[in-house]
Amino acid sequence: MDKLLISGGACLEGELRASGAKNSAVTILAASLLANEPVTISNVPHLRDITTMIELLVSMGVEVVVDEKMNIEIHANTIKSFVAPYDLVRTMRASFLVLGPLLAHYGEAEVSLPGGCAIGPRPVDLHLRGLEALGAIIEMKEGYVKARVNGRLKGARFIFDVSTVGGTEHIMMAAALAEGTTVLENCAREPEIIDLADFLNAMGAKVSGQGTDTITIEGVESLGGCDHHVIADRVEAATYLIAAAATGGHVKMRDVIPEHLDVVTSKLRESGADVTIGEDWIDLDMRGRRPKAVSLVTAPYPGFPTDLQAQFLAMNTIAEGTATVKETIFENRFMHVHEMNRMGAQIRLEGNNTTAIVEGVDVLQAAPVMANDLRASVSLVIAALIADGDTVVNRIYHIDRGYEQVEEKLQNLGAKIKRIQSR
Ligand code: EPZ
């Protein structure tokens, strides 16, 4: 397994372009199964999760053409099998999202249950209840969800018990081809949901209300081809801005959608950074200063994203003062804490491991570290950038799932980082 070797101490400086959003792209690839004609998707990041989703589509007989710029053309109507096997769903939970589109378009699907993962149990009960509300007949057998429908799915009203990004996306996709109107309430409002709705509407769907907590979908009989440009990855962009703040640096992120990062830029200002915002860029200048501690509570959008909690925690380890960081979305998303403490951080977990109290120290010390989740892993890269000495971050295949060319991008900003490839 590859590792990253990072020599701490560099102050990050320079400009970067944000990649396309992983969490939008994986869902849009699943949604392409709804189309009767070829669709083309651009601004897709070159990442392991994207390759997994393409592999899944290809395993079902779907023709997928990828060019050198990662423009992806998908011919869903070449499909031959409606099965998403355990081996692929296990490696990426988002592949479960093919269930709804397969069912809505072809009337049947057999998709492995994703199971838990490092950050918590992550159930899919609301996905299944939403599909059942639309008339799906669902059976669990040997770890698989076997779903079918007599005729077409039928529009219905469905209220989500909790705000779920994947659940909202899943039922939106299925409802696009249902007979009649679906009204979804207590929906998640993340920008990736708006991107998916834009993709569905470009194919001829009738989705409205995306970005609010009530989404209405007037089902149509069929969906056609379209070209779609995926939105910028707000989590990737913010990760580099936080890394810049933590190292006292100055970084400008280009090709971003600044309004998607309002809560994050306000937290970065709280850390003492000068943040300037343009139409499609964000410039952060820490002017060599030590960041101030920033407390936060994760929440569904537009609240503070759980996907940036670990990165802020890394910055807080060397900040001036004490920060309280509360995780409310996932049960087990503090695995980076123990690794950071091994580097000399002063973090204690309270409240049944839902809250981290971080007392800023002057400096972290290098140590071999690893994590079992994407954002925890990248937070250790930030910790390594501010540590004294050479840190080896192990198991970086997690980072490769969500950060395109991470070492090249960080090298461009002046970081001393290199990949150690294992055979
Ligand atoms: C999406 O996961 C993202 N993944 C996650 O990003 C992100 O952390 C998460 O949303 C929250 O923003 C993708 O978009 C591919 P949820 P998702 O359903 O959709 C509970 C990353 O690092 N819930 O919004 O799976 C669930 O357990 C990843 O890029 C149910 O109870 O998250 C959690 O507590 C990690 N029943 C809460 O809802 C359900 O049926 C929110 O989860 C579904 C969810």
Side-chain angles (χ1 to χ4, degrees):
M1 260 178 254
D2 290 2
K3 302 167 181 181
L4 287 174
L5 172 65
I6 299 162
S7 305
C11 182
L12 299 190
E13 295 211 4
E15 288 191 13
L16 282 185
R17 194 198 145 259
S19 296
K22 165 186 85 92
N23 287 347
S24 256
V26 287
T27 312
I28 285 170
L29 288 173
S32 70
L33 287 169
L34 293 162
N36 272 336
E37 293 168 358
V39 298
T40 305
I41 306 162
S42 57
N43 202 33
V44 178
H46 192 188
L47 294 172
R48 167 110 34 132
D49 275 8
I50 301 295
T51 318
T52 305
M53 189 55 105
I54 292 174
E55 248 179 76
L56 174 58
L57 295 177
V58 170
S59 79
M60 295 191 288
V62 171
E63 224 176 277
V64 181
V65 183
V66 184
D67 75 10
E68 70 292 347
K69 288 188 175 153
M70 283 296 287
N71 295 312
I72 304 184
E73 195 180 308
I74 300 168
H75 299 239
N77 56 3
T78 57
I79 196 162
K80 289 173 195 70
S81 144
F82 309 121
V83 180
Y86 173 70
D87 280 348
L88 288 170
V89 181
R90 179 178 58 91
T91 55
M92 187 188 59
R93 293 180 53 83
S95 42
F96 185 70
L97 295 177
V98 298
L99 175 66
L102 286 175
L103 185 64
H105 196 173
Y106 300 103
E108 59 174 301
E110 196 176 319
V111 177
S112 170
L113 276 165
C117 76
I119 59 177
R122 300 181 79 184
V124 287
D125 55 323
L126 298 173
H127 298 230
L128 299 178
R129 276 174 41 205
L131 292 174
E132 280 173 336
L134 300 184
I137 301 156
I138 289 178
E139 208 190 340
M140 305 290 185
K141 223 171 174 185
E142 293 158 357
Y144 277 73
V145 177
K146 294 190 180 195
R148 65 192 162 83
V149 58
N150 296 323
R152 282 169 70 190
L153 292 171
K154 305 271 182 305
R157 175 168 178 248
F158 183 74
I159 306 172
F160 291 99
D161 288 350
V162 296
S163 170
T164 157
V165 178
T168 303
E169 293 170 339
H170 208 161
I171 311 310
M172 240 168 80
M173 292 189 280
L177 282 182
E179 200 180 324
T181 302
T182 298
V183 179
L184 302 178
E185 293 183 43
N186 197 25
C187 293
R189 294 182 282 163
E190 270 67 3
E192 292 74 23
I193 290 169
I194 301 181
D195 202 23
L196 172 64
D198 289 345
F199 175 68
L200 294 171
N201 286 341
M203 290 195 294
K206 293 185 177 162
V207 181
S208 58
Q210 60 275 18
T212 75
D213 60 7
T214 304
I215 299 179
T216 304
I217 306 118
E218 279 177 53
V220 296
E221 271 187 40
S222 68
L223 293 170
C226 73
D227 291 336
H228 182 82
H229 186 88
V230 171
I231 57 169
D233 196 317
R234 61 195 169 105
V235 179
E236 188 219 21
T239 299
Y240 290 111
L241 292 172
I242 299 163
T247 61
H250 182 186
V251 165
K252 183 172 189 172
M253 287 304 303
R254 292 193 173 280
D255 291 351
V256 297
I257 305 172
E259 71 199 57
H260 291 172
L261 287 165
D262 280 350
V263 70
V264 179
T265 45
S266 110
K267 286 287 169 193
L268 286 166
R269 285 192 173 118
E270 219 179 295
S271 78
D274 298 331
V275 180
T276 319
I277 297 174
E279 203 181 321
D280 65 352
W281 54 265
I282 300 175
D283 182 281
L284 177 140
D285 193 355
M286 202 58 168
R287 299 180 192 277
R289 291 183 296 243
R290 180 181 181 191
K292 295 191 198 107
V294 177
S295 293
L296 57 94
V297 181
T298 64
Y301 189 86
F304 188 90
T306 172
D307 290 346
L308 291 171
Q309 174 259 102
Q311 297 88 318
F312 261 83
L313 203 81
M315 182 182 79
N316 276 325
T317 60
I318 50 91
E320 200 183 313
T322 301
T324 303
V325 174
K326 190 168 162 57
E327 173 61 54
T328 70
I329 308 291
F330 291 112
E331 291 83 346
N332 185 29
R333 215 172 191 186
F334 275 128
M335 63 192 91
H336 40 288
V337 162
H338 309 292
E339 297 298 285
M340 288 177 193
N341 280 347
R342 290 179 54 244
M343 299 175 76
Q346 296 278 331
I347 313 169
R348 64 174 197 280
L349 290 173
E350 288 185 353
N352 203 13
N353 292 347
T354 58
T355 305
I357 314 290
V358 194
E359 279 171 44
V361 296
D362 288 341
V363 70
L364 295 184
Q365 302 296 333
V369 287
M370 66 171 194
N372 293 325
D373 141 58
L374 163 60
R375 310 301 171 188
S377 299
V378 86
S379 76
L380 296 175
V381 170
I382 298 176
L385 289 169
I386 51 186
D388 213 9
D390 295 345
T391 294
V392 175
V393 182
N394 292 284
R395 288 204 189 167
I396 58 154
Y397 65 87
H398 291 291
I399 298 181
D400 293 334
R401 292 184 53 187
Y403 288 88
E404 190 174 48
Q405 298 183 310
V406 67
E407 68 269 32
E408 286 87 345
K409 285 195 173 187
L410 283 170
Q411 280 161 4
N412 282 344
L413 299 179
K416 297 195 182 92
I417 175 168
K418 72 175 184 203
R419 182 178 291 253
I420 306 169
Q421 276 169 337
S422 57
R423 276 172 281 162

